[in-house]
Amino acid sequence: MASEHRVVMLAVLLALHVGPVAAHDDKHDAKAVPKSAVMAEQKTFGIAGEPKKVSRTVTMDMSDEMRFHPSVLRAKRGETVRFVLVNKGKVLHEMVIGTMAELKEHAALMKKFPEMEHEEPYMAHVKPGTSESIVWRFNRVGEFNFACLIAGHFEAGMVGRIIVN
C-alpha cells in the first residue's frame, strides 16, 4: 500500500514538472537519491551550486512563529550561496527555493500529500533543533522566493524573497 502511494505521488509530481521526489515518513528511504547525486538542472531561479565555489554563507533561522530570519536576501548574479538552515522550533520546517507560482502549486500538492519529502538541491527538510544546508548558484537575474511548504506553514506566512541583481 505504501509503495503504491509513493508511485502515485511520484507520477503526480512528474506530471506537474516539479521534479523527482521521494515520499516517506521521518525515516530515511534507502531508495532516495542524495542531493549530491542529483544532476544539476537549470531552473528559472538558478542551478545547484558547487560547495567548493561558495561565495558566502547565509545562516537562516526557522521558527514555529512561521517565519524565516532573514526573510529578504540579496544576491549578485553568478553568486553561489550556502544557506545554513537552523530550525529553532519544535516542529519540522523546510526551505524550498522557487518562483511564487511554483511554490503556490507545490504548497497545494503538499496539502494533499503531507508526508512528502524532497531530495532536490533547492529544498531541505529541517527537523526541530537541527540544521541542514542548501548550496545554490544564482545565475539568473530576478526576484525569486523561498518558503516552507509543510501544510499550513506557507499559508501562515513562512515565505521570503531573494533579489538577484
Side-chain angles (χ1 to χ4, degrees):
M1 180 72 159
S3 164
E4 290 174 1
H5 181 70
R6 288 182 180 148
V7 170
V8 169
M9 286 186 357
L10 183 58
V12 168
L13 289 171
L14 290 173
L16 293 172
H17 303 288
V18 175
V21 174
H24 56 83
D25 56 16
D26 282 342
K27 297 175 187 155
H28 291 282
D29 186 343
K31 295 179 185 175
V33 178
K35 285 183 188 182
S36 60
V38 175
M39 192 153 160
E41 177 185 354
Q42 180 64 56
K43 298 291 194 179
T44 56
F45 50 91
I47 193 165
E50 294 181 40
K52 292 180 181 177
K53 296 184 178 180
V54 167
S55 307
R56 68 181 163 127
T57 298
V58 174
T59 300
M60 184 172 294
D61 294 337
M62 309 159 112
S63 73
D64 292 347
E65 285 78 34
M66 303 303 153
R67 296 293 181 262
F68 289 100
H69 182 74
S71 61
V72 178
L73 303 165
R74 295 191 176 274
K76 294 180 182 174
R77 182 177 181 209
E79 186 174 18
T80 300
V81 177
R82 177 185 322 275
F83 294 96
V84 176
L85 311 167
V86 180
N87 185 344
K88 294 192 170 188
K90 295 183 181 185
V91 300
L92 180 71
H93 290 294
E94 70 176 4
M95 178 179 171
V96 180
I97 304 171
T99 65
M100 186 53 75
E102 291 167 332
L103 294 174
K104 285 180 180 179
E105 183 178 321
H106 197 144
L109 194 60
M110 290 289 287
K111 283 183 183 177
K112 292 179 184 179
F113 304 105
E115 298 297 317
M116 189 167 58
E117 288 192 21
H118 321 295
E119 291 297 333
E120 295 292 332
Y122 52 89
M123 304 176 176
H125 276 266
V126 188
K127 293 179 183 177
T130 68
S131 64
E132 295 289 335
S133 64
I134 294 175
V135 176
W136 196 253
R137 183 169 176 243
F138 294 99
N139 63 355
R140 303 275 171 99
V141 171
E143 187 170 309
F144 309 108
N145 299 91
F146 56 92
C148 179
L149 300 182
I150 292 173
H153 296 204
F154 179 75
E155 296 79 5
M158 200 164 180
V159 180
R161 292 184 309 145
I162 302 169
I163 301 157
V164 183
N165 296 313

